[in-house]
PDB file of all heavy atoms in Angstrom:
ATOM      1  N   SER F   1       0.839  -1.188   0.000  1.00 95.00           N
ATOM      2  CA  SER F   1       0.000   0.000   0.000  1.00 95.00           C
ATOM      3  C   SER F   1       0.882   1.249   0.000  1.00 95.00           C
ATOM      4  O   SER F   1       1.918   1.294  -0.652  1.00 95.00           O
ATOM      5  CB  SER F   1      -0.970  -0.018   1.190  1.00 95.00           C
ATOM      6  OG  SER F   1      -1.878   1.066   1.113  1.00 95.00           O
ATOM      7  N   THR F   2       0.499   2.263   0.768  1.00 93.00           N
ATOM      8  CA  THR F   2       1.299   3.484   0.810  1.00 93.00           C
ATOM      9  C   THR F   2       2.645   3.228   1.473  1.00 93.00           C
ATOM     10  O   THR F   2       3.649   3.836   1.121  1.00 93.00           O
ATOM     11  CB  THR F   2       0.532   4.600   1.559  1.00 93.00           C
ATOM     12  OG1 THR F   2      -0.787   4.673   1.032  1.00 93.00           O
ATOM     13  CG2 THR F   2       1.221   5.930   1.386  1.00 93.00           C
ATOM     14  N   GLY F   3       2.668   2.331   2.438  1.00 94.00           N
ATOM     15  CA  GLY F   3       3.922   1.826   2.998  1.00 94.00           C
ATOM     16  C   GLY F   3       4.872   2.905   3.477  1.00 94.00           C
ATOM     17  O   GLY F   3       4.530   3.768   4.279  1.00 94.00           O
ATOM     18  N   LEU F   4       6.089   2.859   2.941  1.00 93.00           N
ATOM     19  CA  LEU F   4       7.147   3.816   3.272  1.00 93.00           C
ATOM     20  C   LEU F   4       7.522   4.560   1.998  1.00 93.00           C
ATOM     21  O   LEU F   4       8.425   4.151   1.262  1.00 93.00           O
ATOM     22  CB  LEU F   4       8.374   3.086   3.831  1.00 93.00           C
ATOM     23  CG  LEU F   4       8.168   2.208   5.065  1.00 93.00           C
ATOM     24  CD1 LEU F   4       9.418   1.390   5.347  1.00 93.00           C
ATOM     25  CD2 LEU F   4       7.830   3.072   6.277  1.00 93.00           C
ATOM     26  N   PRO F   5       6.851   5.660   1.682  1.00 93.00           N
ATOM     27  CA  PRO F   5       7.010   6.291   0.364  1.00 93.00           C
ATOM     28  C   PRO F   5       8.428   6.748   0.050  1.00 93.00           C
ATOM     29  O   PRO F   5       8.818   6.780  -1.113  1.00 93.00           O
ATOM     30  CB  PRO F   5       6.055   7.489   0.427  1.00 93.00           C
ATOM     31  CG  PRO F   5       5.068   7.139   1.492  1.00 93.00           C
ATOM     32  CD  PRO F   5       5.826   6.328   2.499  1.00 93.00           C
ATOM     33  N   THR F   6       9.208   7.124   1.071  1.00 93.00           N
ATOM     34  CA  THR F   6      10.542   7.673   0.807  1.00 93.00           C
ATOM     35  C   THR F   6      11.647   6.661   1.076  1.00 93.00           C
ATOM     36  O   THR F   6      12.826   7.020   1.024  1.00 93.00           O
ATOM     37  CB  THR F   6      10.793   8.924   1.668  1.00 93.00           C
ATOM     38  OG1 THR F   6      10.755   8.555   3.058  1.00 93.00           O
ATOM     39  CG2 THR F   6       9.748   9.985   1.408  1.00 93.00           C
ATOM     40  N   LYS F   7      11.287   5.427   1.362  1.00 94.00           N
ATOM     41  CA  LYS F   7      12.301   4.423   1.696  1.00 94.00           C
ATOM     42  C   LYS F   7      12.425   3.400   0.562  1.00 94.00           C
ATOM     43  O   LYS F   7      11.604   3.333  -0.339  1.00 94.00           O
ATOM     44  CB  LYS F   7      11.953   3.732   3.019  1.00 94.00           C
ATOM     45  CG  LYS F   7      11.704   4.693   4.185  1.00 94.00           C
ATOM     46  CD  LYS F   7      12.887   5.609   4.442  1.00 94.00           C
ATOM     47  CE  LYS F   7      12.603   6.565   5.594  1.00 94.00           C
ATOM     48  NZ  LYS F   7      13.711   7.518   5.826  1.00 94.00           N
ATOM     49  N   THR F   8      13.459   2.585   0.633  1.00 96.00           N
ATOM     50  CA  THR F   8      13.792   1.713  -0.496  1.00 96.00           C
ATOM     51  C   THR F   8      13.535   0.243  -0.176  1.00 96.00           C
ATOM     52  O   THR F   8      13.698  -0.189   0.964  1.00 96.00           O
ATOM     53  CB  THR F   8      15.267   1.920  -0.895  1.00 96.00           C
ATOM     54  OG1 THR F   8      15.517   1.282  -2.151  1.00 96.00           O
ATOM     55  CG2 THR F   8      16.225   1.371   0.146  1.00 96.00           C
ATOM     56  N   GLU F   9      13.118  -0.501  -1.190  1.00 97.00           N
ATOM     57  CA  GLU F   9      12.932  -1.947  -1.089  1.00 97.00           C
ATOM     58  C   GLU F   9      13.090  -2.572  -2.470  1.00 97.00           C
ATOM     59  O   GLU F   9      13.211  -1.861  -3.474  1.00 97.00           O
ATOM     60  CB  GLU F   9      11.535  -2.303  -0.540  1.00 97.00           C
ATOM     61  CG  GLU F   9      11.385  -2.170   0.951  1.00 97.00           C
ATOM     62  CD  GLU F   9       9.996  -2.564   1.459  1.00 97.00           C
ATOM     63  OE1 GLU F   9       9.234  -3.176   0.679  1.00 97.00           O
ATOM     64  OE2 GLU F   9       9.679  -2.261   2.611  1.00 97.00           O
ATOM     65  N   GLN F  10      13.074  -3.906  -2.507  1.00 98.00           N
ATOM     66  CA  GLN F  10      13.068  -4.663  -3.767  1.00 98.00           C
ATOM     67  C   GLN F  10      11.868  -5.615  -3.767  1.00 98.00           C
ATOM     68  O   GLN F  10      11.982  -6.762  -4.163  1.00 98.00           O
ATOM     69  CB  GLN F  10      14.364  -5.471  -3.898  1.00 98.00           C
ATOM     70  CG  GLN F  10      15.611  -4.635  -4.088  1.00 98.00           C
ATOM     71  CD  GLN F  10      16.828  -5.515  -4.285  1.00 98.00           C
ATOM     72  OE1 GLN F  10      17.154  -6.347  -3.455  1.00 98.00           O
ATOM     73  NE2 GLN F  10      17.522  -5.334  -5.402  1.00 98.00           N
ATOM     74  N   THR F  11      10.745  -5.103  -3.369  1.00 98.00           N
ATOM     75  CA  THR F  11       9.592  -5.973  -3.115  1.00 98.00           C
ATOM     76  C   THR F  11       8.586  -6.023  -4.261  1.00 98.00           C
ATOM     77  O   THR F  11       7.533  -6.646  -4.127  1.00 98.00           O
ATOM     78  CB  THR F  11       8.882  -5.520  -1.828  1.00 98.00           C
ATOM     79  OG1 THR F  11       8.736  -4.096  -1.851  1.00 98.00           O
ATOM     80  CG2 THR F  11       9.684  -5.906  -0.609  1.00 98.00           C
ATOM     81  N   ASP F  12       8.904  -5.410  -5.401  1.00 98.00           N
ATOM     82  CA  ASP F  12       7.971  -5.420  -6.532  1.00 98.00           C
ATOM     83  C   ASP F  12       8.343  -6.457  -7.584  1.00 98.00           C
ATOM     84  O   ASP F  12       7.731  -6.493  -8.659  1.00 98.00           O
ATOM     85  CB  ASP F  12       7.928  -4.037  -7.211  1.00 98.00           C
ATOM     86  CG  ASP F  12       7.312  -2.975  -6.328  1.00 98.00           C
ATOM     87  OD1 ASP F  12       6.728  -3.331  -5.293  1.00 98.00           O
ATOM     88  OD2 ASP F  12       7.425  -1.782  -6.672  1.00 98.00           O
ATOM     89  N   LEU F  13       9.339  -7.290  -7.315  1.00 98.00           N
ATOM     90  CA  LEU F  13       9.815  -8.207  -8.347  1.00 98.00           C
ATOM     91  C   LEU F  13       8.723  -9.162  -8.812  1.00 98.00           C
ATOM     92  O   LEU F  13       8.480  -9.326 -10.011  1.00 98.00           O
ATOM     93  CB  LEU F  13      11.027  -8.997  -7.846  1.00 98.00           C
ATOM     94  CG  LEU F  13      11.584 -10.031  -8.824  1.00 98.00           C
ATOM     95  CD1 LEU F  13      12.023  -9.372 -10.120  1.00 98.00           C
ATOM     96  CD2 LEU F  13      12.737 -10.803  -8.195  1.00 98.00           C
ATOM     97  N   ARG F  14       8.063  -9.814  -7.882  1.00 98.00           N
ATOM     98  CA  ARG F  14       7.015 -10.766  -8.260  1.00 98.00           C
ATOM     99  C   ARG F  14       5.861 -10.063  -8.973  1.00 98.00           C
ATOM    100  O   ARG F  14       5.255 -10.608  -9.896  1.00 98.00           O
ATOM    101  CB  ARG F  14       6.504 -11.496  -7.026  1.00 98.00           C
ATOM    102  CG  ARG F  14       7.470 -12.550  -6.500  1.00 98.00           C
ATOM    103  CD  ARG F  14       7.364 -13.834  -7.290  1.00 98.00           C
ATOM    104  NE  ARG F  14       8.340 -14.845  -6.883  1.00 98.00           N
ATOM    105  CZ  ARG F  14       8.355 -16.074  -7.353  1.00 98.00           C
ATOM    106  NH1 ARG F  14       7.449 -16.459  -8.235  1.00 98.00           N
ATOM    107  NH2 ARG F  14       9.280 -16.930  -6.967  1.00 98.00           N
ATOM    108  N   GLN F  15       5.553  -8.852  -8.546  1.00 98.00           N
ATOM    109  CA  GLN F  15       4.503  -8.091  -9.225  1.00 98.00           C
ATOM    110  C   GLN F  15       4.915  -7.814 -10.674  1.00 98.00           C
ATOM    111  O   GLN F  15       4.094  -7.938 -11.595  1.00 98.00           O
ATOM    112  CB  GLN F  15       4.236  -6.768  -8.492  1.00 98.00           C
ATOM    113  CG  GLN F  15       3.134  -5.957  -9.145  1.00 98.00           C
ATOM    114  CD  GLN F  15       2.821  -4.648  -8.441  1.00 98.00           C
ATOM    115  OE1 GLN F  15       1.749  -4.097  -8.642  1.00 98.00           O
ATOM    116  NE2 GLN F  15       3.733  -4.139  -7.638  1.00 98.00           N
ATOM    117  N   ALA F  16       6.176  -7.450 -10.879  1.00 98.00           N
ATOM    118  CA  ALA F  16       6.645  -7.180 -12.236  1.00 98.00           C
ATOM    119  C   ALA F  16       6.611  -8.436 -13.099  1.00 98.00           C
ATOM    120  O   ALA F  16       6.233  -8.395 -14.276  1.00 98.00           O
ATOM    121  CB  ALA F  16       8.065  -6.614 -12.191  1.00 98.00           C
ATOM    122  N   LEU F  17       6.987  -9.558 -12.518  1.00 98.00           N
ATOM    123  CA  LEU F  17       7.039 -10.807 -13.275  1.00 98.00           C
ATOM    124  C   LEU F  17       5.652 -11.370 -13.579  1.00 98.00           C
ATOM    125  O   LEU F  17       5.396 -11.849 -14.691  1.00 98.00           O
ATOM    126  CB  LEU F  17       7.853 -11.853 -12.502  1.00 98.00           C
ATOM    127  CG  LEU F  17       9.371 -11.635 -12.432  1.00 98.00           C
ATOM    128  CD1 LEU F  17       9.985 -12.541 -11.375  1.00 98.00           C
ATOM    129  CD2 LEU F  17      10.011 -11.882 -13.793  1.00 98.00           C
ATOM    130  N   TYR F  18       4.752 -11.306 -12.594  1.00 97.00           N
ATOM    131  CA  TYR F  18       3.506 -12.063 -12.709  1.00 97.00           C
ATOM    132  C   TYR F  18       2.237 -11.241 -12.436  1.00 97.00           C
ATOM    133  O   TYR F  18       1.139 -11.817 -12.452  1.00 97.00           O
ATOM    134  CB  TYR F  18       3.526 -13.241 -11.730  1.00 97.00           C
ATOM    135  CG  TYR F  18       4.717 -14.154 -11.904  1.00 97.00           C
ATOM    136  CD1 TYR F  18       5.620 -14.346 -10.861  1.00 97.00           C
ATOM    137  CD2 TYR F  18       4.946 -14.822 -13.106  1.00 97.00           C
ATOM    138  CE1 TYR F  18       6.724 -15.183 -11.011  1.00 97.00           C
ATOM    139  CE2 TYR F  18       6.043 -15.656 -13.266  1.00 97.00           C
ATOM    140  CZ  TYR F  18       6.926 -15.839 -12.218  1.00 97.00           C
ATOM    141  OH  TYR F  18       8.009 -16.653 -12.374  1.00 97.00           O
ATOM    142  N   GLY F  19       2.365  -9.958 -12.202  1.00 96.00           N
ATOM    143  CA  GLY F  19       1.212  -9.192 -11.733  1.00 96.00           C
ATOM    144  C   GLY F  19       0.221  -8.788 -12.793  1.00 96.00           C
ATOM    145  O   GLY F  19      -0.173  -7.623 -12.891  1.00 96.00           O
ATOM    146  N   ARG F  20      -0.191  -9.746 -13.599  1.00 97.00           N
ATOM    147  CA  ARG F  20      -1.212  -9.502 -14.626  1.00 97.00           C
ATOM    148  C   ARG F  20      -2.069 -10.760 -14.756  1.00 97.00           C
ATOM    149  O   ARG F  20      -1.627 -11.856 -14.407  1.00 97.00           O
ATOM    150  CB  ARG F  20      -0.544  -9.191 -15.983  1.00 97.00           C
ATOM    151  CG  ARG F  20       0.249  -7.890 -15.975  1.00 97.00           C
ATOM    152  CD  ARG F  20       1.222  -7.812 -17.122  1.00 97.00           C
ATOM    153  NE  ARG F  20       2.232  -8.860 -17.081  1.00 97.00           N
ATOM    154  CZ  ARG F  20       3.287  -8.861 -16.268  1.00 97.00           C
ATOM    155  NH1 ARG F  20       3.461  -7.859 -15.421  1.00 97.00           N
ATOM    156  NH2 ARG F  20       4.165  -9.842 -16.277  1.00 97.00           N
ATOM    157  N   ASN F  21      -3.265 -10.620 -15.293  1.00 96.00           N
ATOM    158  CA  ASN F  21      -4.104 -11.806 -15.468  1.00 96.00           C
ATOM    159  C   ASN F  21      -3.669 -12.585 -16.698  1.00 96.00           C
ATOM    160  O   ASN F  21      -3.100 -12.029 -17.646  1.00 96.00           O
ATOM    161  CB  ASN F  21      -5.573 -11.409 -15.578  1.00 96.00           C
ATOM    162  CG  ASN F  21      -5.862 -10.625 -16.838  1.00 96.00           C
ATOM    163  OD1 ASN F  21      -5.317  -9.536 -17.036  1.00 96.00           O
ATOM    164  ND2 ASN F  21      -6.712 -11.154 -17.706  1.00 96.00           N
ATOM    165  N   GLY F  22      -3.924 -13.878 -16.665  1.00 96.00           N
ATOM    166  CA  GLY F  22      -3.591 -14.719 -17.810  1.00 96.00           C
ATOM    167  C   GLY F  22      -2.098 -14.993 -17.912  1.00 96.00           C
ATOM    168  O   GLY F  22      -1.293 -14.513 -17.110  1.00 96.00           O
ATOM    169  N   GLU F  23      -1.729 -15.806 -18.905  1.00 97.00           N
ATOM    170  CA  GLU F  23      -0.310 -16.047 -19.194  1.00 97.00           C
ATOM    171  C   GLU F  23       0.220 -14.811 -19.914  1.00 97.00           C
ATOM    172  O   GLU F  23      -0.029 -14.604 -21.089  1.00 97.00           O
ATOM    173  CB  GLU F  23      -0.150 -17.299 -20.053  1.00 97.00           C
ATOM    174  CG  GLU F  23      -0.471 -18.592 -19.323  1.00 97.00           C
ATOM    175  CD  GLU F  23       0.541 -18.900 -18.226  1.00 97.00           C
ATOM    176  OE1 GLU F  23       1.676 -18.397 -18.286  1.00 97.00           O
ATOM    177  OE2 GLU F  23       0.185 -19.654 -17.295  1.00 97.00           O
ATOM    178  N   SER F  24       0.909 -13.975 -19.152  1.00 97.00           N
ATOM    179  CA  SER F  24       1.261 -12.639 -19.642  1.00 97.00           C
ATOM    180  C   SER F  24       2.759 -12.392 -19.462  1.00 97.00           C
ATOM    181  O   SER F  24       3.175 -11.584 -18.626  1.00 97.00           O
ATOM    182  CB  SER F  24       0.443 -11.596 -18.873  1.00 97.00           C
ATOM    183  OG  SER F  24       0.662 -10.305 -19.368  1.00 97.00           O
ATOM    184  N   PRO F  25       3.609 -13.068 -20.236  1.00 98.00           N
ATOM    185  CA  PRO F  25       5.060 -12.937 -20.057  1.00 98.00           C
ATOM    186  C   PRO F  25       5.554 -11.553 -20.451  1.00 98.00           C
ATOM    187  O   PRO F  25       5.044 -10.948 -21.395  1.00 98.00           O
ATOM    188  CB  PRO F  25       5.624 -14.010 -20.992  1.00 98.00           C
ATOM    189  CG  PRO F  25       4.588 -14.162 -22.061  1.00 98.00           C
ATOM    190  CD  PRO F  25       3.274 -13.959 -21.372  1.00 98.00           C
ATOM    191  N   ILE F  26       6.547 -11.087 -19.727  1.00 97.00           N
ATOM    192  CA  ILE F  26       7.042  -9.739 -19.957  1.00 97.00           C
ATOM    193  C   ILE F  26       8.529  -9.687 -19.634  1.00 97.00           C
ATOM    194  O   ILE F  26       9.033 -10.471 -18.832  1.00 97.00           O
ATOM    195  CB  ILE F  26       6.253  -8.733 -19.083  1.00 97.00           C
ATOM    196  CG1 ILE F  26       6.325  -7.324 -19.660  1.00 97.00           C
ATOM    197  CG2 ILE F  26       6.712  -8.757 -17.649  1.00 97.00           C
ATOM    198  CD1 ILE F  26       5.336  -6.368 -19.021  1.00 97.00           C
ATOM    199  N   VAL F  27       9.240  -8.798 -20.283  1.00 98.00           N
ATOM    200  CA  VAL F  27      10.663  -8.614 -20.008  1.00 98.00           C
ATOM    201  C   VAL F  27      10.808  -7.798 -18.725  1.00 98.00           C
ATOM    202  O   VAL F  27      10.136  -6.780 -18.541  1.00 98.00           O
ATOM    203  CB  VAL F  27      11.363  -7.890 -21.173  1.00 98.00           C
ATOM    204  CG1 VAL F  27      12.850  -7.646 -20.847  1.00 98.00           C
ATOM    205  CG2 VAL F  27      11.233  -8.705 -22.450  1.00 98.00           C
ATOM    206  N   VAL F  28      11.679  -8.262 -17.830  1.00 98.00           N
ATOM    207  CA  VAL F  28      11.942  -7.546 -16.577  1.00 98.00           C
ATOM    208  C   VAL F  28      13.438  -7.352 -16.431  1.00 98.00           C
ATOM    209  O   VAL F  28      14.215  -8.307 -16.574  1.00 98.00           O
ATOM    210  CB  VAL F  28      11.388  -8.312 -15.359  1.00 98.00           C
ATOM    211  CG1 VAL F  28      11.713  -7.566 -14.067  1.00 98.00           C
ATOM    212  CG2 VAL F  28       9.877  -8.508 -15.487  1.00 98.00           C
ATOM    213  N   MET F  29      13.836  -6.106 -16.148  1.00 98.00           N
ATOM    214  CA  MET F  29      15.239  -5.757 -15.942  1.00 98.00           C
ATOM    215  C   MET F  29      15.366  -4.975 -14.647  1.00 98.00           C
ATOM    216  O   MET F  29      14.372  -4.505 -14.085  1.00 98.00           O
ATOM    217  CB  MET F  29      15.760  -4.878 -17.083  1.00 98.00           C
ATOM    218  CG  MET F  29      15.569  -5.421 -18.456  1.00 98.00           C
ATOM    219  SD  MET F  29      16.158  -4.191 -19.627  1.00 98.00           S
ATOM    220  CE  MET F  29      15.897  -5.083 -21.145  1.00 98.00           C
ATOM    221  N   ALA F  30      16.608  -4.793 -14.179  1.00 98.00           N
ATOM    222  CA  ALA F  30      16.835  -4.019 -12.957  1.00 98.00           C
ATOM    223  C   ALA F  30      18.165  -3.286 -13.056  1.00 98.00           C
ATOM    224  O   ALA F  30      19.186  -3.885 -13.421  1.00 98.00           O
ATOM    225  CB  ALA F  30      16.831  -4.934 -11.731  1.00 98.00           C
ATOM    226  N   ALA F  31      18.162  -2.012 -12.744  1.00 98.00           N
ATOM    227  CA  ALA F  31      19.392  -1.220 -12.742  1.00 98.00           C
ATOM    228  C   ALA F  31      20.160  -1.456 -11.448  1.00 98.00           C
ATOM    229  O   ALA F  31      19.576  -1.674 -10.387  1.00 98.00           O
ATOM    230  CB  ALA F  31      19.067   0.261 -12.902  1.00 98.00           C
ATOM    231  N   ALA F  32      21.493  -1.391 -11.520  1.00 98.00           N
ATOM    232  CA  ALA F  32      22.341  -1.742 -10.388  1.00 98.00           C
ATOM    233  C   ALA F  32      22.863  -0.541  -9.608  1.00 98.00           C
ATOM    234  O   ALA F  32      23.121  -0.643  -8.403  1.00 98.00           O
ATOM    235  CB  ALA F  32      23.532  -2.579 -10.871  1.00 98.00           C
ATOM    236  N   THR F  33      23.048   0.588 -10.262  1.00 97.00           N
ATOM    237  CA  THR F  33      23.614   1.785  -9.621  1.00 97.00           C
ATOM    238  C   THR F  33      22.912   3.011 -10.200  1.00 97.00           C
ATOM    239  O   THR F  33      22.227   2.914 -11.224  1.00 97.00           O
ATOM    240  CB  THR F  33      25.126   1.903  -9.892  1.00 97.00           C
ATOM    241  OG1 THR F  33      25.336   2.170 -11.298  1.00 97.00           O
ATOM    242  CG2 THR F  33      25.873   0.628  -9.489  1.00 97.00           C
ATOM    243  N   PRO F  34      23.112   4.189  -9.594  1.00 97.00           N
ATOM    244  CA  PRO F  34      22.511   5.393 -10.178  1.00 97.00           C
ATOM    245  C   PRO F  34      22.905   5.604 -11.635  1.00 97.00           C
ATOM    246  O   PRO F  34      22.049   5.887 -12.478  1.00 97.00           O
ATOM    247  CB  PRO F  34      23.038   6.519  -9.277  1.00 97.00           C
ATOM    248  CG  PRO F  34      23.240   5.864  -7.949  1.00 97.00           C
ATOM    249  CD  PRO F  34      23.733   4.488  -8.274  1.00 97.00           C
ATOM    250  N   THR F  35      24.190   5.460 -11.966  1.00 97.00           N
ATOM    251  CA  THR F  35      24.610   5.694 -13.343  1.00 97.00           C
ATOM    252  C   THR F  35      24.190   4.548 -14.267  1.00 97.00           C
ATOM    253  O   THR F  35      23.974   4.758 -15.463  1.00 97.00           O
ATOM    254  CB  THR F  35      26.127   5.903 -13.424  1.00 97.00           C
ATOM    255  OG1 THR F  35      26.804   4.793 -12.820  1.00 97.00           O
ATOM    256  CG2 THR F  35      26.533   7.172 -12.677  1.00 97.00           C
ATOM    257  N   ASP F  36      24.059   3.349 -13.720  1.00 98.00           N
ATOM    258  CA  ASP F  36      23.605   2.211 -14.521  1.00 98.00           C
ATOM    259  C   ASP F  36      22.162   2.394 -14.977  1.00 98.00           C
ATOM    260  O   ASP F  36      21.727   1.743 -15.942  1.00 98.00           O
ATOM    261  CB  ASP F  36      23.746   0.911 -13.721  1.00 98.00           C
ATOM    262  CG  ASP F  36      23.439  -0.334 -14.545  1.00 98.00           C
ATOM    263  OD1 ASP F  36      23.992  -0.456 -15.654  1.00 98.00           O
ATOM    264  OD2 ASP F  36      22.652  -1.177 -14.078  1.00 98.00           O
ATOM    265  N   CYS F  37      21.417   3.270 -14.322  1.00 98.00           N
ATOM    266  CA  CYS F  37      20.046   3.547 -14.756  1.00 98.00           C
ATOM    267  C   CYS F  37      20.028   4.054 -16.204  1.00 98.00           C
ATOM    268  O   CYS F  37      19.074   3.788 -16.944  1.00 98.00           O
ATOM    269  CB  CYS F  37      19.388   4.569 -13.832  1.00 98.00           C
ATOM    270  SG  CYS F  37      18.973   3.933 -12.190  1.00 98.00           S
ATOM    271  N   PHE F  38      21.062   4.779 -16.610  1.00 98.00           N
ATOM    272  CA  PHE F  38      21.149   5.240 -17.999  1.00 98.00           C
ATOM    273  C   PHE F  38      21.226   4.043 -18.939  1.00 98.00           C
ATOM    274  O   PHE F  38      20.452   3.928 -19.889  1.00 98.00           O
ATOM    275  CB  PHE F  38      22.372   6.137 -18.186  1.00 98.00           C
ATOM    276  CG  PHE F  38      22.591   6.577 -19.612  1.00 98.00           C
ATOM    277  CD1 PHE F  38      22.002   7.727 -20.090  1.00 98.00           C
ATOM    278  CD2 PHE F  38      23.381   5.826 -20.477  1.00 98.00           C
ATOM    279  CE1 PHE F  38      22.188   8.138 -21.412  1.00 98.00           C
ATOM    280  CE2 PHE F  38      23.578   6.219 -21.798  1.00 98.00           C
ATOM    281  CZ  PHE F  38      22.976   7.383 -22.267  1.00 98.00           C
ATOM    282  N   ASP F  39      22.173   3.148 -18.675  1.00 98.00           N
ATOM    283  CA  ASP F  39      22.365   1.994 -19.545  1.00 98.00           C
ATOM    284  C   ASP F  39      21.132   1.106 -19.595  1.00 98.00           C
ATOM    285  O   ASP F  39      20.741   0.612 -20.665  1.00 98.00           O
ATOM    286  CB  ASP F  39      23.567   1.173 -19.075  1.00 98.00           C
ATOM    287  CG  ASP F  39      24.893   1.837 -19.411  1.00 98.00           C
ATOM    288  OD1 ASP F  39      24.880   2.927 -20.024  1.00 98.00           O
ATOM    289  OD2 ASP F  39      25.947   1.289 -19.046  1.00 98.00           O
ATOM    290  N   MET F  40      20.518   0.892 -18.435  1.00 98.00           N
ATOM    291  CA  MET F  40      19.377  -0.025 -18.400  1.00 98.00           C
ATOM    292  C   MET F  40      18.123   0.587 -19.029  1.00 98.00           C
ATOM    293  O   MET F  40      17.306  -0.127 -19.615  1.00 98.00           O
ATOM    294  CB  MET F  40      19.117  -0.486 -16.973  1.00 98.00           C
ATOM    295  CG  MET F  40      20.251  -1.331 -16.396  1.00 98.00           C
ATOM    296  SD  MET F  40      20.754  -2.692 -17.482  1.00 98.00           S
ATOM    297  CE  MET F  40      19.364  -3.804 -17.296  1.00 98.00           C
TER     298      MET F  40
END
């Protein structure tokens, strides 16, 4: 839910992978550092 809006976690992975109805495959990536966000 609203949780901790200004704090950090990695808790959306399963939602990104499977959070849709039906067999709905999707590409999922993750950036490693602030500057890596550009590359990713």
Side-chain angles (χ1 to χ4, degrees):
S1 186
T2 311
L4 303 171
T6 62
K7 307 303 179 183
T8 192
E9 281 181 13
Q10 292 183 303
T11 46
D12 293 349
L13 178 60
R14 285 279 176 174
Q15 181 179 200
L17 288 166
Y18 304 120
R20 295 162 298 283
N21 67 298
E23 290 292 337
S24 185
I26 203 168
V27 177
V28 178
M29 306 177 178
T33 68
T35 55
D36 186 50
C37 288
F38 176 89
D39 285 359
M40 295 310 287

